[in-house]
Every structure is written in C-alpha cells, then in structure tokens.
Amino acid sequence: MLTPDDAWFSRLDKALRDRLGADARAWLDEALAEATAHATARGAAHATAHGTAHTTARGTVHATPRGTAPATGTGAAPQRAADTVSSQAHADTVPGPTPAAPPAWETRFAAAGRHCLRSEPPHHADPEAAEAARVLILCAARADDTTVTRLYEYGTAAERRAVLLALPQLPLGPDGRDGLPLIEDALRTNDTRLVAAAVGPYAARHLDAHAWRHAVLKCLFTGVSVDAIAGLAERSRGDAELARMLGDYARERTSAGRPVPDDLPRVLALTQRFPLSADTPIGSSADPSVDPSAEPPVGSSAIPAVDSPAGLSDGPSTGSSEGMPTAPATAAAAGPSSDAPPGQSTAPAAGQSTDVPAGQPTTASVSPSEGPSAEEA
C-alpha cells in the first residue's frame, strides 16, 4: 500500500506517478503546485506578521503631523463622538465580509478520488493512489493543526485516513502533539481503516503508555493486524501491564467461548523483558518474566498458554521436548502403586498438585485459535 515512510516524499511521489495515467499526473502536478504556493504565501505572511509584532513590541512613535495641534480642550470630545457616529453609519451601508473560500489545494484534496485513475485500461479509479495523492498534497501545503482538524472533521473516511497518515510529516504545534485529538477520535471508531492509520508512527511517538496499550487492544478487538502498529516491539518490551491486559482479554474470550486473536500470542511474547534461554524452563521461577507469588490456585484460570516462537506457557513443562529439560519427578523412586495400571506412575509431575490425578492439567490452557482443548489433545 502506498504510505509514507522514511524517504517518504520522493519514494511516494515516484510510486504514485508510476500508477497514474498522463491526465492524472498532470492533475497531480497542478495540485502540488497550488499546495506549495499556499504554503509559501502563508509562510511569508507569518514572517511579516511576526516582524510587525516585534516592531510594535519594541515601541513605535506615532508623531503628530507638523503644524497640526493635538485635539484637546472642550471641543475634542464632541468631535470624536461625531466621528464615531459617522463611522457607524458608513459601516451600516457596506456589506459585511463573506466567508473565505477554501484554498484551491483543499478542493484538490477532496477531489483526488475522481482524478487518480490507473494508467492501464480501463483506467479505473485507484483508491490507494488517491490516498497517496492526498498525503502528498497535505505535506506540500504544510497544513497546520487547524487545517487538518477541519479536513478530518468534514472529510470522508478516505480523507480522514489520509489526514492520519500525513500527521508525522506536518507542523502540528511546538511539540508536534496537536494532532493527538484526531488519533484519539480514530481509535474510538470501529472503522478498521481509521484504526490501522491511527496506530502509525505519530501514535508511537506521542501517545502515552495508557492510551497506547488500549490502542493495541483495539487492534486485537477489531481484527486489525498488529503489523500496522508502529514501534510495537520497542514499546511493548517489558510492559508487564500490557501483558496483564492481554491475559485478561484472552481469558474473557475463552470464557465466552470465543477464539483468542491470532496476533495476541505474538504481542504477549514481545512483552517479555529478557530473551529466554533454551536452558530455562519457560514459566519456571528462573524465568524473569514470571512472578512466583502470583501463581494462581489449582483449577483457576491462568495467563493463557500460547503457541509462539518464544514458547510461552503458564507453568513448567511436564513432558520432554527437544531443547527443553524435563521437569524432574518428585517421587520417581517410589515405584508404581498397586492401585495404578502397570507402567503408570502415581508420582505427581513438578508444578502439579498432589490433589489432582496425574495427567490432568491444573490450569486452563488457551489456544490462539479454535481447535481441540488441552484435555482433548
């Protein structure tokens, strides 16, 4: 998909032109020229206003023309009153100012969907090309927070998405955070297109920890791939609160008989603070990501076991697997019980309660997708 990246403008512009026909490329040239001219004029006006304000702040002397005496005495007040009445009467006969028309580039921004057509026949409309064109127009115009807020509030879903994608490249206040209300609004919707655009680089840079965690859960809840979340690995590493929220969400899904999102195990694995050694049983007390004091009672629901490259689980493994040590039996030398079938040991495995029959799991296991339960397996 055509979206901004590190070398965003030149690469995006080239990729867009490769997809557009000749007429669409000519339209894009005109749109970018209008946007650039608007940005230049606004910058010059800002510089002029700033210079005037600076001069006024330093002090300006308003001299009375030579030969003219200042208005003083008893006749000054009546004269000023007469001038005021005359000015008001003149203002009543002059029509008031009309609302300013939007700049030409904003009209181009809205019309991109009609003009961005594919170069090859039958020259259908290209929504991705229109999105890229809108992003380029916004960046060429150097749209400020007031402009992008207006375009977002009155725009279509496609126009809103383009605004969200362009936020990292725009001058949005002294600290660049003036676009956060738009991100927060998009994350309150259930439009997956807006949610995916809202969790990009701008959110990774400016969302606080609480809002960012809920953005991750929003992606899992709405089915947006976590690949859309910028900075996921960096921000989730060692985030115990995010791990707790993911575990709670997985248990809620399981108790309701619904599948756990496929991306949840991946995000949960990223929350581990330290990489796990192949010599360390996953979930054991040696695992720095596990708090032994928080181990749930027998039969209760634990943090879901997940199938992931990191091999996360909610307790020590009781069977042999390649690269993983087998948990030692606590009474292996006692021999088989007379009440047990031949070949079956009555000694509990490590981490298993003695009140639970051997072979029966002590905690609920959650699969990231629908399939046989732990007991059926």
Side-chain angles (χ1 to χ4, degrees):
M1 184 171 55
L2 299 176
T3 55
D5 54 19
D6 294 338
W8 62 274
F9 199 96
S10 59
R11 293 174 58 183
L12 184 60
D13 183 76
K14 182 180 184 305
L16 175 58
R17 293 177 185 279
D18 290 343
R19 293 175 63 154
L20 296 179
D23 292 341
R25 289 195 296 270
W27 176 89
L28 179 64
D29 289 335
E30 295 172 358
L32 293 179
E34 291 171 354
T36 303
H38 176 82
T40 303
R42 189 180 61 187
H46 176 75
T48 301
H50 180 74
T52 302
H54 182 68
T55 302
T56 304
R58 294 182 59 184
T60 302
V61 178
H62 300 280
T64 302
R66 183 175 299 176
T68 303
T72 58
T74 57
Q79 180 63 37
R80 285 196 297 268
D83 293 343
T84 301
V85 172
S86 176
S87 299
Q88 291 176 349
H90 178 70
D92 292 338
T93 62
V94 177
T98 58
W105 72 266
E106 290 190 21
T107 304
R108 300 273 190 180
F109 176 86
R114 300 193 302 270
H115 292 276
C116 292
L117 307 179
R118 284 189 173 271
S119 58
E120 64 273 7
H123 308 295
H124 288 309
D126 190 341
E128 290 186 355
E131 178 178 279
R134 290 186 173 111
V135 171
L136 288 175
I137 292 171
L138 283 170
C139 296
R142 304 297 294 164
D144 58 12
D145 57 311
T146 302
T147 302
V148 297
T149 299
R150 183 178 66 254
L151 293 176
Y152 181 89
E153 290 180 348
Y154 295 102
T156 64
E159 293 168 16
R160 290 185 172 194
R161 178 177 161 83
V163 169
L164 295 171
L165 291 174
L167 290 181
Q169 313 294 340
L170 299 178
L172 302 176
D175 55 359
R177 297 172 59 87
D178 288 353
L180 275 179
L182 307 184
I183 297 294
E184 294 166 352
D185 179 83
L187 291 174
R188 285 192 294 266
T189 71
N190 288 324
D191 189 330
T192 55
R193 295 171 298 172
L194 298 184
V195 173
V199 293
Y202 189 85
R205 188 182 307 160
H206 297 295
L207 275 182
D208 60 35
H210 177 77
W212 186 82
R213 294 183 190 115
H214 281 276
V216 174
L217 287 179
K218 183 75 174 187
C219 290
L220 295 174
F221 178 77
T222 57
V224 173
S225 172
V226 297
D227 290 333
I229 305 176
L232 176 63
E234 294 78 7
R235 292 203 62 169
S236 60
R237 183 177 296 113
D239 194 336
E241 177 62 15
L242 177 60
R244 183 196 65 77
M245 294 170 67
L246 294 172
D248 290 346
Y249 178 61
R251 282 192 291 273
E252 291 174 3
R253 299 282 297 182
T254 303
S255 62
R258 299 175 181 176
V260 175
D262 292 340
D263 279 340
L264 191 146
R266 173 182 170 189
V267 181
L268 188 59
L270 291 174
T271 61
Q272 301 303 307
R273 184 177 300 275
F274 305 105
L276 300 180
S277 170
D279 298 330
T280 304
I282 309 300
S284 67
S285 59
D287 182 353
S289 64
V290 175
D291 181 6
S293 62
E295 185 176 354
V298 174
S300 67
S301 177
I303 292 180
V306 292
D307 298 327
S308 66
L312 298 178
S313 65
D314 57 359
S317 173
T318 58
S320 299
S321 60
E322 184 177 355
M324 296 291 295
T326 303
T330 57
S337 169
S338 58
D339 297 331
Q344 178 176 340
S345 173
T346 60
Q352 181 177 357
S353 171
T354 56
D355 297 333
V356 181
Q360 180 176 340
T362 61
T363 57
S365 178
V366 178
S367 172
S369 59
E370 291 184 346
S373 63
E375 289 80 4
E376 294 173 348

